[in-house]
Amino acid sequence: MTGAEPWLALPPALAVPPGAGAVADGDGARKIGRGAAEGLFTGGDVMVAHASLTARRLGLAPPPRSPELLDVLELFAFARPARFCAPSAAGLALAMGMAEPKGAEAQAEALRAAAARLLTELAAPDYPNREDAVMLAETLGRAGWSWGWRVLGALQHQPVRERRHRGSGLDAWARLPEWEDEAPRGEAGSAPVDSESARIRLEKLLQASGLDETRPTQSDYAAEAAFAFSPRNEEGRPRMLLAEAGTGTGKTLGYLAPASLWAERNQGAAWVSTYTRALQRQIDREIASLWPDPKERKRKAVVRKGRENYLCLLNLQEMVQAAQLGNGDLVGMGLASRWALHSRDGDMTGGDYPGWLPGLFATPPSQQASPANLVDRRGECVHAACPHYRTCFVEKTIRASRRADLVVANHALVMTQAAFDGARSARGLKQDGETAALKRIVFDEGHHLFDAADSAFSACLSGQEAAELRRWIRGPEGRARRGRGLEHRLGDLCADNEAASKALQDAVRAAAQLPGEGVSGRIAPASGEVNPVGPVERFLLAALEQLRARTSENASGGGVEFGMECALRPATDPVREAAREAAQALAAIEAPLLALSRYLEDILDDEAGELDGSARARIEGALRGLDRRARMTLPGWRSMLAALDAGGDEPDPDFVDWLSAEAAFGRIMDVALRRHWIDPTVPLEAAVVMPAHGVLVTSATLSDPLSDDPFDLARLRTGAARLIEPARTLKVESPFDYAANSRVIVVNDLIKDDPRQTAAAMRELFLAAGGGGLGLFTAIRRLKAVYERLGPDLAKSGIPLYAQHVDPLEVGALVDVFRAEQDSCLLGTDAVRDGVDVPGRSLRILAFDRAPWPRPDLLHKARRERFGGGPQARAWDDALARARMAQAFGRLIRRADDKGVFVMLDAATPTRLFASLPPGTEVQRMGLAEAVEMVGEFLA
């Protein structure tokens, strides 16, 4: 193979990192100015990495797909489907096994080299499934894909079978393997796991990972973690352990050792629950030491998420067919279909789907191959009535989790499913099956358990939520909208029963009283001419008027960052009157939905001996959707409204009810009535902790050193405080030498409310570190203001700057790029602070714009009063802020050889907030100039 092959004759490659751009062609690489880069980008054949991001750096709008603009990321997605790549020139180079290219010229050269390598791979004799690739390449080529003829030429470099009629290659749903049912596993046993066995298993895991010796602290941690896998002696008395393990302890393998041992001995599944997708991926990688063989690992370990994370094959088929008729992005759908054939489990959010793929070009959101369009977000699944039921990714994962030894899930799934299962059990029905075996649970990132429970066990009646319910019942009502209403899903099941058919029609009719799409434009239009439709919209309009009356002009006008909120009581008369009408409208929907549920339950009971597996699965699936809405969502909404209509102004002592409005770009986007538990660990304990046999809650930041009992707060925030049998506690210190490898600085000569000073400080600190900087903000508005000033200054030194809420990449992709480009910098908020795992030099300085105090909203004030009332109120706020700072600091030092500087730009930050940082850290207060000098010397 030579460069004379026409498909290897590549156009110039354009790389545009911040600052000057560069172009690489057959004669090498050279720097070019912004004007020349813009001309090349818009004027002819050119290769780039992430077209939309490149356009943004050139000050241009995201480009549409065109034959002249070749995005090498798309070529990667075709040639290496379901393989990881950070969406940048450097990310491509690293994914191809090349060295990280630094500087514009090196990135342009790397981009060109990556494209050539990928095409050469396609031409290699051993390229797998060549016939399938050719089939899809032909289809995409006809659709105008810029890579089409080159990819096809490379694939046809090797012999390809001649076919008179070749398929489109788009029908992944028809070519995936089917799942097979297995006999029920049965109840897990009660064989204990002793400490010594856990130590021995850990030693074997470390050897399998290529590590020679066990760290004493890690071994002790594994031995103590075995307590959560010992048999309980009484119902309602789980074995619970709160275990803090400092960064570097190796807690993942530490708890996987006893968990895997328990699963083997008892023929059951141990569940590991995380808060972030990043940790789910990390645990999944660590599991390889348990089962090195990929086939065995796929059988023994399952990553489990909610249904809304997985590709829906019926949605894919509908969008592909629409794109084939000219209404959609056929190239994007083709690449998504190719990914589906190679994906491990069909996970589109944090799995092996390239999340950057839908945003490469200016494709209308409704036509993108994005999770928003391709997953089952709205409970529209028809289960066994779906033609792709036997190949469904969700069904495969559910079945795999029932026979797995380890299930790696997330807090939200565990809690919502456990609550749902508990409600069904209370009515004498069998549990759902997805978490019926939820007996041994490890909650990693346990410091987030309180917040996860708060979200899972809350209620929210908003315009958008009500519109979602209407759509679930009635189906899509606008033109060119996809979806399946209740009649589509249940009509044939009810056809033979007059009462059931009437209930179905009554529900569909009553749902017309719910808000439809565009509710914000009717209750809060820019023109000011309101036009609410239906009782729920009239209630939301009255709520908005109360919000405006009870919120200061400053908050309602200038506070668009957070929107508005006010206490529900005392409610205005219009709110009370509208609440009564809205509650009646919801009751008219709830009653027929309950009747439908009872009818379907009767079928399962009366026709148990006649139903085949498919029909039973379909009815059970329909019941799950009806139960969630008719027995959980709608009663919750009615309860809030009924309490309001009753006229009492005394709040419920267990709940906080309030009104809120979300705002964006100076406009009200949604209005809501909200109810949260003051203490969400009450339902957490009842639904999850008490029914379990053993629970391990672990994190690097569970204890609070300034409390009389360091684990008091952890007990409060995990539900352990109310257990009959007290939870055990464990604290294992980090093995890292923080005194030698880290510095903690408070810059004391800045005005924290001036974004110019914040930007200047971050600029000097990041330049002194040579990049590798993470800037953390407590407000999006300040982040954007600093980004506008900071970006150009760093660009002059060739340091790329990325930012959450600014760049056209989701958080995970931004972190991937930040990790790949060793000298880049990143600005972000809480999601970045909690989801970053960047060992090595890519993260060497972390700067907080101000102390991360909790926002004093109504919910926080109620909790502060409950948990830290009176003189203890400050202690509650302090503990939360300390935990956030400790979590951020934990991002900085991930390995024994890491070095990092933690900088707080808020001079007013009390020293007591640093108390939860690891032993050996010393807080130094100094001016910016001195801090810059120290950073430069320490990180040199």
Side-chain angles (χ1 to χ4, degrees):
M1 191 186 308
T2 69
E5 302 288 352
W7 44 268
L8 269 179
L10 296 170
L14 174 65
V16 187
V23 62
D25 52 26
D27 297 326
R30 62 187 184 281
K31 271 192 177 180
I32 57 174
R34 177 168 175 160
E38 183 178 332
L40 185 60
F41 185 74
T42 58
D45 286 356
V46 65
M47 295 189 299
V48 297
H50 208 295
S52 289
L53 188 57
T54 304
R56 189 186 185 286
R57 287 186 172 162
L58 292 172
L60 303 171
R65 192 183 294 284
S66 72
E68 295 80 26
L69 188 55
L70 292 86
D71 199 314
V72 185
L73 288 169
E74 281 197 329
L75 177 61
F76 184 93
F78 184 95
R80 296 187 176 186
R83 301 272 291 277
F84 173 78
C85 176
S88 68
L92 274 163
L94 292 171
M96 301 296 296
M98 301 155 56
E100 182 196 345
K102 296 189 177 182
E105 297 101 313
Q107 289 184 16
E109 286 275 26
L111 200 54
R112 187 175 176 82
R117 286 195 189 188
L118 289 167
L119 288 170
T120 303
E121 281 183 15
L122 292 172
D126 58 350
Y127 189 76
N129 302 313
R130 183 179 304 277
E131 295 285 338
D132 288 348
V134 168
M135 191 161 50
L136 181 60
E138 287 179 343
T139 300
L140 300 187
R142 289 192 295 270
W145 187 33
S146 55
W147 286 104
W149 69 268
R150 287 183 171 85
V151 165
L152 197 56
L155 289 167
Q156 292 176 337
H157 187 73
Q158 303 296 331
V160 178
R161 196 181 339 170
E162 289 292 332
R163 293 177 183 267
R164 178 173 296 180
H165 300 292
R166 202 185 295 273
S168 69
L170 296 166
D171 57 342
W173 53 85
R175 291 181 284 151
L176 287 165
E178 295 186 348
W179 50 262
E180 295 181 358
D181 249 333
E182 294 186 9
R185 195 175 191 180
E187 187 78 17
S190 299
V193 175
D194 60 275
S195 298
E196 190 57 33
S197 296
R199 291 184 194 270
I200 294 170
R201 170 57 60 92
L202 173 63
E203 189 174 349
K204 290 180 179 177
L205 293 183
L206 292 170
Q207 290 172 355
S209 301
L211 301 172
D212 295 331
E213 59 183 40
T214 306
R215 285 166 277 181
T217 53
Q218 187 181 29
S219 182
D220 291 344
Y221 177 90
E224 292 293 328
F227 171 73
F229 297 94
S230 58
R232 68 180 184 180
N233 294 327
E234 292 183 41
E235 185 180 9
R237 294 194 175 195
R239 304 288 195 178
M240 191 169 188
L241 173 66
L242 307 178
E244 177 173 290
T247 306
T249 301
K251 68 176 176 356
T252 303
L253 286 180
Y255 62 65
L256 286 180
S260 60
L261 203 54
W262 178 88
E264 284 179 16
R265 290 179 177 179
N266 293 287
Q267 298 299 299
W271 283 60
V272 178
S273 179
T274 76
Y275 189 69
T276 62
R277 294 167 183 161
L279 185 58
Q280 267 189 309
R281 290 196 297 267
Q282 179 184 324
I283 294 170
D284 190 34
R285 290 193 299 267
E286 299 260 18
I287 286 173
S289 59
L290 272 168
W291 301 291
D293 177 38
K295 289 184 179 179
E296 184 183 18
R297 186 163 66 250
K298 187 175 182 179
R299 189 175 69 254
K300 294 278 193 179
V302 174
V303 176
R304 184 74 183 91
K305 298 182 181 180
R307 183 175 291 271
E308 68 281 359
N309 291 278
Y310 297 93
L311 173 70
C312 169
L313 294 171
L314 190 55
N315 282 351
L316 177 66
Q317 181 182 15
E318 290 180 356
M319 292 205 72
V320 164
Q321 290 171 345
Q324 287 176 307
L325 296 174
N327 184 27
D329 177 18
L330 188 60
V331 173
M333 290 302 153
L335 294 173
S337 187
R338 182 160 172 76
W339 162 79
L341 287 171
H342 294 81
S343 174
R344 169 182 165 177
D345 55 10
D347 180 2
M348 296 193 78
T349 60
D352 51 21
Y353 185 71
W356 37 261
L357 188 60
L360 298 181
F361 295 97
T363 306
S366 62
Q367 298 179 0
Q368 291 178 354
S370 64
N373 292 321
L374 293 176
V375 303
D376 173 34
R377 283 196 181 280
R378 301 175 178 86
E380 296 171 342
C381 181
V382 293
H383 299 279
C386 176
H388 313 310
Y389 181 66
R390 299 288 303 184
T391 54
C392 174
F393 285 115
V394 177
E395 296 298 330
K396 286 179 182 174
T397 306
I398 291 172
R399 281 158 179 76
S401 68
R402 290 173 181 168
R403 61 177 183 269
D405 282 6
L406 289 175
V407 179
V408 183
N410 55 60
H411 297 350
L413 172 70
V414 168
M415 290 181 199
T416 56
Q417 194 62 41
F420 180 64
D421 279 349
R424 286 178 65 82
S425 295
R427 292 170 38 235
L429 301 174
K430 78 167 190 173
Q431 291 188 344
D432 181 272
E434 292 184 46
T435 57
L438 198 60
K439 303 303 181 188
R440 305 286 173 172
I441 318 169
V442 176
F443 284 112
D444 204 338
E445 297 180 305
H447 58 285
H448 282 302
L449 209 50
F450 188 91
D451 294 331
D454 183 38
S455 177
F457 299 111
S458 61
C460 171
L461 170 55
S462 71
Q464 291 180 10
E465 290 289 329
E468 280 293 318
L469 179 58
R470 174 180 175 137
R471 188 174 187 276
W472 182 80
I473 295 173
R474 295 176 62 88
E477 297 172 287
R479 296 183 61 187
R481 294 298 306 274
R482 297 177 304 103
R484 294 166 285 281
L486 213 51
E487 282 187 292
H488 185 128
R489 298 196 297 277
L490 300 180
D492 60 325
L493 290 174
C494 302
D496 297 333
N497 184 287
E498 184 179 347
S501 295
K502 182 179 183 302
L504 177 59
Q505 293 303 319
D506 288 347
V508 171
R509 230 180 348 261
Q513 296 296 300
L514 292 169
E517 292 189 17
V519 55
S520 63
R522 293 188 293 274
I523 66 174
S527 65
E529 298 179 6
V530 297
N531 181 34
V533 177
V536 176
E537 286 192 19
R538 287 193 289 274
F539 168 75
L540 295 174
L541 175 59
L544 180 57
E545 290 171 347
Q546 176 171 321
L547 272 163
R548 285 171 169 155
R550 306 251 173 104
T551 310
S552 68
E553 288 185 16
N554 182 48
S556 59
V560 293
E561 187 176 357
F562 295 125
M564 296 182 285
E565 67 169 29
C566 76
L568 178 60
R569 297 177 178 84
T572 63
D573 288 340
V575 166
R576 292 187 192 281
E577 292 165 8
R580 184 182 310 114
E581 294 180 18
Q584 291 170 353
L586 296 179
I589 302 169
E590 184 182 329
L593 291 181
L594 287 172
L596 273 177
S597 283
R598 287 191 291 269
Y599 169 69
L600 294 176
E601 288 169 356
D602 288 344
I603 292 180
L604 286 179
D605 188 24
D606 298 340
E607 302 177 22
E610 304 168 21
L611 288 174
D612 60 30
S614 175
R616 175 173 293 278
R618 187 179 170 200
I619 293 172
E620 289 177 346
L623 277 172
R624 282 197 294 269
L626 285 166
D627 278 1
R628 287 184 190 278
R629 290 158 182 85
R631 289 193 167 95
M632 298 176 78
T633 300
L634 280 166
W637 289 355
R638 277 200 310 104
S639 172
M640 291 190 289
L641 293 169
L644 192 56
D645 179 38
D649 286 330
E650 284 299 317
D652 190 310
D654 292 326
F655 297 98
V656 180
D657 296 340
W658 77 98
L659 301 174
S660 69
E662 294 179 15
F665 309 108
R667 286 194 53 198
I668 300 295
M669 304 305 293
D670 200 11
V671 179
L673 167 61
R674 299 180 181 276
R675 166 170 282 190
H676 284 237
W677 284 84
I678 293 180
D679 183 0
T681 67
V682 173
L684 168 67
E685 181 196 25
V688 182
V689 177
M690 292 283 281
H693 290 221
V695 179
L696 167 61
V697 180
T698 188
S699 167
T701 54
L702 276 183
S703 67
D704 183 35
L706 297 190
S707 180
D708 291 338
D709 181 337
F711 282 92
D712 266 352
L713 184 64
R715 292 188 185 91
L716 279 175
R717 291 176 65 84
T718 60
R722 285 187 305 279
L723 289 179
I724 301 172
E725 185 171 318
R728 286 190 184 182
T729 60
L730 171 70
K731 181 166 179 162
V732 181
E733 299 290 356
S734 169
F736 295 158
D737 186 352
Y738 289 101
N741 293 349
S742 68
R743 295 290 182 269
V744 180
I745 301 170
V746 178
V747 177
N748 58 15
D749 58 355
L750 298 178
I751 299 175
K752 67 180 179 182
D753 293 322
D754 186 349
R756 292 173 300 177
Q757 292 196 32
T758 302
M762 286 192 177
R763 177 193 66 215
E764 296 305 318
L765 290 165
F766 290 173
L767 288 175
L774 176 62
L776 292 177
F777 292 79
T778 55
I780 297 170
R781 174 175 48 83
R782 290 197 300 274
L783 181 155
K784 291 181 176 179
V786 169
Y787 176 85
E788 293 301 324
R789 293 170 171 83
L790 183 58
D793 290 342
L794 292 181
K796 293 174 185 175
S797 299
I799 295 178
L801 178 66
Y802 300 93
Q804 184 190 8
H805 305 293
V806 175
D807 286 313
L809 293 171
E810 50 92 24
V811 172
L814 281 172
V815 173
D816 290 339
V817 173
F818 178 59
R819 185 187 297 110
E821 299 181 8
Q822 196 173 84
D823 296 329
S824 65
C825 295
L826 174 63
L827 306 182
T829 55
D830 289 355
V832 173
R833 180 193 71 213
D834 294 329
V836 170
D837 180 29
V838 184
R841 280 184 55 78
S842 290
L843 174 53
R844 49 192 181 270
I845 180 168
L846 186 151
F848 254 115
D849 78 318
R850 59 180 61 192
W853 297 109
R855 187 159 64 94
D857 55 24
L858 291 167
L859 184 57
H860 174 74
K861 289 177 181 177
R863 286 175 176 158
R864 182 171 60 191
E865 183 64 28
R866 170 71 61 87
F867 297 118
Q872 297 301 315
R874 192 188 81 172
W876 177 254
D877 286 348
D878 283 0
L880 297 182
R882 267 196 297 273
R884 292 174 181 177
M885 288 172 60
Q887 275 297 311
F889 184 89
R891 307 297 95 192
L892 193 58
I893 308 292
R894 308 297 292 170
R895 300 187 310 208
D897 58 348
D898 278 358
K899 293 185 71 174
V901 181
F902 182 97
V903 183
M904 176 61 71
L905 300 179
D906 183 353
T909 306
T911 300
R912 65 181 184 273
L913 294 190
F914 296 92
S916 57
L917 299 192
T921 53
E922 178 187 353
V923 180
Q924 301 180 69
R925 295 178 180 267
M926 61 187 70
L928 177 61
E930 189 180 352
V932 169
E933 182 180 356
M934 174 178 283
V935 168
E937 291 176 355
F938 182 69
L939 295 177

